Amino acid sequence: MMKTSGSFTLLLLLGFVSANETSESKPPSPPDLYAALRDLTASLVQLKADVATERDQLRAEVDQLNQQQQVQQVAFSASLLAESRGSTLGPLPTAMTLIFKNVQTNIGNAYSSTTGLFTAPVKGAYHFDWTTGAYGDHSHGSGAWLLKNSQKVFMAFEDQKDGFMTTSKGVTLLLEAGDVVSVLLLASGLAFDDYNHHTTFSGHLVFPM
């Protein structure tokens, strides 16, 4: 009986050792390559999406900066007549907005040669100059108001009996976007222009605000 029990114990010990040796000698299972590839693909897709988003944001910022720069570039200069033949406007029964047809510069397209109106594209400080000229006729001078919307700001005026006369003035105005500036010929005033461009209207944005 003792011999049988000892043999059984020996067999159990041998089996335990054999099992341990088998488990220790078993090579580790290879990594899941498909799972690794899936993770790598997902990371690449996310990276591509992030790059595309950053690129779109950068483009939007560049476009916005370009638009702001274009808006900040505002300047125009025009004379009354487009043709070279001399002509006198006035006197008239009522004051009239002068429409300066001969546009030399119109950066930003804020001045309209159809209406004679300058429309501020952005809020800012703007500077304007206007000049009128005419031949004296013993009874009428040459002059015009600068208007902000419908408000008279400054008037340039000159009167003499004969010979050629000119008058001019300049002003800097704080304008809101959409404000309108124009030149209003006096009802009793004269304005002459020819190829020498005596009667003019100019303006530019000094700085936005």
Side-chain angles (χ1 to χ4, degrees), residues 98 130 132 142-146 154-157 167 183-186:
L98 291 176
W130 69 106
T132 62
S142 178
W145 283 97
L146 185 84
F154 286 163
M155 181 179 68
F157 182 79
T167 180
V183 176
L184 185 70
L185 180 67
L186 300 178

Side-chain angles (χ1 to χ4, degrees), residues 77-83 99-105 111 113 193-195 197 199-201:
S77 187
S79 62
L80 189 60
L81 299 180
E83 64 270 14
I99 300 176
F100 298 83
K101 296 287 189 179
N102 183 36
V103 179
Q104 295 296 311
T105 306
Y111 172 75
S113 60
D193 204 20
D194 61 8
Y195 60 88
H197 310 302
T199 301
T200 61
F201 182 31

Side-chain angles (χ1 to χ4, degrees), residues 112-155:
S112 171
S113 60
T114 302
T115 62
L117 305 180
F118 172 87
T119 304
V122 295
K123 180 180 179 179
Y126 293 79
H127 184 80
F128 298 95
D129 296 288
W130 69 106
T131 300
T132 62
Y135 288 96
D137 65 355
H138 301 278
S139 57
H140 300 94
S142 178
W145 283 97
L146 185 84
L147 300 186
K148 173 185 174 182
N149 299 321
S150 58
Q151 175 188 359
K152 294 177 179 178
V153 181
F154 286 163
M155 181 179 68

Side-chain angles (χ1 to χ4, degrees), residues 65-74 108 121-122 126 205 208:
L65 289 174
N66 288 335
Q67 292 175 359
Q68 290 176 352
Q69 185 175 9
Q70 290 174 0
V71 168
Q72 292 176 9
Q73 295 175 345
V74 180
V122 295
Y126 293 79
L205 173 64

Side-chain angles (χ1 to χ4, degrees), residues 6-26:
S7 299
F8 181 71
T9 301
L10 180 60
L11 288 173
L12 287 176
L13 290 173
L14 290 173
F16 176 76
V17 172
S18 176
N20 282 344
E21 289 177 351
T22 303
S23 63
E24 290 176 358
S25 61
K26 183 179 179 181

